[in-house]
């Protein structure tokens, strides 16, 4: 695959991934009628087709590529056995293909390409997502739109954040961090806020505080002060809604999550041997229980059984192991890698990363990009 063709494929992927994001954000805005199911599948299909086209370049497949490809094949077969259509079966496996394509992007040396396009799409995502959250807020609705909107602001900002971090563009880096935190506070989503804040603390510690330079330490505390000031202001404007949401988290068992986890685990125990081993198919918890498991481990165990869970654990292990290696070797992308892993771990525990295609595609493409980068290489 020539370099020009590779760039065209990546343009196609990023454009349709952004259209998919916008579709998912606006479909929950009151008063907007959108043919979400049909358009959703078209956008996903074109994005995945671009990823598959990129994956069959001249670079050889590694054992990690093969692990994710095997997992994708297992997901497709398992869904077909459980009566899902071939289209839905392939879409359920698309996050695996996204990782393989992202890995090959880095190994081709294309991870820094199209930075202008990525920036434009990031800005478009911010505008659409902020508007969606504003409509919900003025309508006194704290709906699903907010979690999708703010998560996409984070996911589409990751490539720009990586570019800024590796090239030591501190103003751009700071702008992205402040945007992420402020807009996440405005979304009123606790899990995302905890994940983002924890991830950024880890990022700043490994990128700056370990150096113990006075300038970097001062910069860190200035950022923290400004973010706390923003949080207090937003809390006052919303009549204490932020503090209320945080205080009731324990009383409600994480908004009912502990009850959901207990019930889903009970459903797993009631399954037959074959059901426990191989699962019931994509998003089966919601089909049976009415809502997803809100935990990646439980959801995977129910949907794809012990075999699928073993694949997932292996996939997460190679991602985390590479992050540890990058940190140990002082790689240029180590801090961003650690940040992304921390965010993934927290969101996976309380919600999902790979379950929903519209989330899995951009996140695991970025993980593949991080994984494939040569540890000592810096971007120009």
């Amino acid at each position: 695959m020539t370099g020009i063709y590779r760039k065209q494929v990546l343009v196609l992927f990023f454009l349709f991934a952004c259209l998919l994001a916008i579709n998912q954000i606006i479909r929950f805005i009151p008063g907007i009628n959108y043919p979400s199911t049909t358009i959703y599948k078209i956008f996903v299909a074109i994005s995945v087709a671009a990823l598959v086209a990129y994956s069959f370049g001249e670079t050889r497949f590694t054992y990690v590529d093969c692990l994710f490809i095997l997992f994708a094949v297992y997901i497709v077969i398992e869904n077909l056995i459980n009566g899902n259509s071939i289209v839905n079966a392939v879409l359920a496996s698309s996050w695996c293909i996204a990782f393989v394509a992202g890995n090959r992007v880095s190994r081709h040396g294309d991870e820094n390409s199209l930075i202008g396009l990525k920036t434009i799409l990031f800005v478009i995502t911010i505008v659409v997502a902020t508007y969606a959250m504003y409509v919900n807020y003025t309508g006194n609705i704290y709906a699903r739109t907010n979690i999708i909107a703010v998560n996409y602001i984070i996911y589409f900002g990751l490539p720009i954040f990586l570019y800024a971090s590796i090239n030591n563009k501190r103003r751009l880096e700071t702008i992205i961090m402040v945007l992420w935190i402020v807009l996440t506070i405005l979304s009123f989503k606790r899990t995302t806020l905890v994940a983002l804040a924890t991830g950024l603390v880890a990022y700043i510690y490994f990128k700056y505080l370990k150096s113990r330079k006075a300038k970097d330490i001062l910069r860190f505390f200035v950022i923290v002060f400004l973010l706390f000031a923003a949080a207090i202001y937003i809390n006052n404007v919303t009549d204490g809604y932020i503090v209320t949401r945080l205080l009731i988290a324990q009383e409600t068992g994480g908004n009912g999550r502990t009850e959901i986890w207990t019930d889903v685990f009970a459903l797993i125990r009631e399954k037959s041997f074959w059901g426990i081993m191989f699962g019931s198919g994509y998003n089966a918890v919601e089909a049976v229980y009415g809502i997803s498991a809100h935990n990646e481990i439980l959801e995977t165990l129910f949907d794809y059984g012990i075999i699928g869970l073993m694949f997932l654990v292996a996939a997460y292990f190679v991602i985390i192991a590479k992050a540890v290696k990058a940190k140990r070797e002082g790689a240029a992308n180590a801090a961003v890698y650690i940040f992304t892993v921390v965010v993934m771990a927290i969101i996976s525990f309380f919600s999902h990363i790979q379950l929903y295609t519209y989330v899995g595609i951009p996140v695991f493409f970025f993980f593949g990009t991080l994984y494939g980068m040569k540890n000592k290489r810096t971007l120009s």
Side-chain angles (χ1 to χ4, degrees):
M1 187 186 298
T2 65
I4 295 176
Y5 178 58
R6 289 205 306 266
K7 180 174 284 191
Q8 292 171 342
V9 169
L10 284 179
V11 168
L12 194 66
F13 163 68
F14 284 116
L15 285 176
F16 277 89
C18 185
L19 288 173
L20 174 61
I22 292 171
N23 172 56
Q24 291 302 307
I25 291 169
I26 69 173
R27 63 179 291 207
F28 293 103
I29 298 178
I32 292 184
N33 296 316
Y34 206 82
S36 57
T37 302
T38 303
I39 297 296
Y40 165 87
K41 290 183 178 180
I42 291 173
F43 290 163
V44 173
I46 295 176
S47 300
V48 173
L51 293 177
V52 170
Y54 192 96
S55 296
F56 288 94
E58 60 274 1
T59 308
R60 65 181 179 82
F61 285 96
T62 66
Y63 80 92
V64 174
D65 292 330
C66 293
L67 169 66
F68 279 86
I69 290 171
L70 283 174
F71 196 4
V73 171
Y74 173 80
I75 289 172
V76 171
I77 294 173
E78 200 270 348
N79 274 288
L80 292 176
I81 291 173
N82 280 285
N84 289 320
S85 68
I86 183 65
V87 173
N88 290 333
V90 171
L91 294 185
S93 69
S94 61
W95 65 275
C96 298
I97 305 302
F99 180 91
V100 175
N103 187 17
R104 296 168 79 76
V105 160
S106 287
R107 286 158 53 211
H108 279 135
D110 293 338
E111 72 278 1
N112 196 31
S113 64
L114 305 173
I115 195 67
L117 175 64
K118 294 173 185 176
T119 303
I120 292 170
L121 296 181
F122 179 43
V123 172
I124 291 172
T125 305
I126 289 176
V127 172
V128 174
T130 304
Y131 171 73
M133 291 191 291
Y134 171 75
V135 170
N136 282 338
Y137 175 72
T138 54
N140 234 0
I141 305 169
Y142 302 107
R144 189 179 177 188
T145 301
N146 286 14
I147 186 65
I148 295 172
V150 74
N151 282 355
Y152 267 123
I153 290 171
I154 296 171
Y155 303 150
F156 275 81
L158 287 172
I160 319 301
F161 191 52
L162 176 65
Y163 169 81
S165 177
I166 291 181
N167 289 285
N168 290 318
K169 296 185 179 295
R170 297 195 177 185
R171 287 186 181 178
L172 178 60
E173 178 187 70
T174 302
I175 288 171
I176 293 171
M177 288 192 289
V178 171
L179 272 173
W180 277 345
I181 288 288
V182 170
L183 292 175
T184 303
I185 292 171
L186 288 171
S187 76
F188 305 108
K189 293 302 177 180
R190 294 164 297 193
T191 298
T192 305
L193 181 59
V194 170
L196 180 63
T198 307
L200 287 177
V201 167
Y203 172 81
I204 293 171
Y205 174 76
F206 286 109
K207 180 76 186 290
Y208 295 113
L209 296 190
K210 286 193 75 176
S211 66
R212 297 183 180 178
K213 293 180 180 179
K215 184 178 179 180
D216 290 333
I217 295 173
L218 177 62
R219 179 170 172 267
F220 168 74
F221 282 109
V222 168
I223 292 174
V224 170
F225 172 79
L226 291 174
L227 293 177
F228 267 111
I232 292 170
Y233 175 77
I234 295 169
N235 184 67
N236 291 336
V237 170
T238 57
D239 296 324
Y241 188 76
I242 294 175
V243 172
T244 301
R245 289 273 294 168
L246 292 173
L247 290 177
I248 67 172
Q250 186 174 1
E251 297 174 15
T252 60
N255 208 24
R257 280 176 172 81
T258 53
E259 182 181 348
I260 294 170
W261 296 339
T262 302
D263 291 346
V264 171
F265 187 69
L267 289 172
I268 293 171
R269 293 181 63 183
E270 292 174 2
K271 283 188 169 192
S272 66
F273 171 79
W274 294 109
I276 292 175
M277 288 301 295
F278 298 103
S280 305
Y282 173 74
N283 206 12
V285 174
E286 187 167 335
V288 174
Y289 186 65
I291 191 172
S292 71
H294 281 70
N295 177 277
E296 208 81 273
I297 300 297
L298 285 175
E299 184 73 43
T300 302
L301 187 57
F302 193 95
D303 292 356
Y304 301 116
I306 292 175
I307 303 298
L309 183 60
M310 290 171 63
F311 270 116
L312 184 71
V313 170
Y316 278 16
F317 175 80
V318 298
I319 289 173
I320 294 171
K322 187 62 180 286
V324 172
K325 181 181 179 183
K327 181 254 179 188
R328 187 174 60 244
E329 296 180 355
N333 68 338
V336 176
Y337 207 151
I338 291 169
F339 161 77
T340 314
V341 165
V342 169
V343 172
M344 176 195 74
I346 294 174
I347 291 181
S348 292
F349 187 83
F350 292 101
S351 186
H352 306 284
I353 293 288
Q354 56 86 14
L355 175 65
Y356 299 119
T357 304
Y358 53 82
V359 172
I361 287 178
V363 172
F364 280 91
F365 180 85
F366 186 71
F367 267 123
T369 303
L370 288 171
Y371 189 92
M373 288 180 65
K374 295 178 181 177
N375 282 354
K376 294 299 182 182
R377 188 172 72 213
T378 57
L379 303 181
S380 58

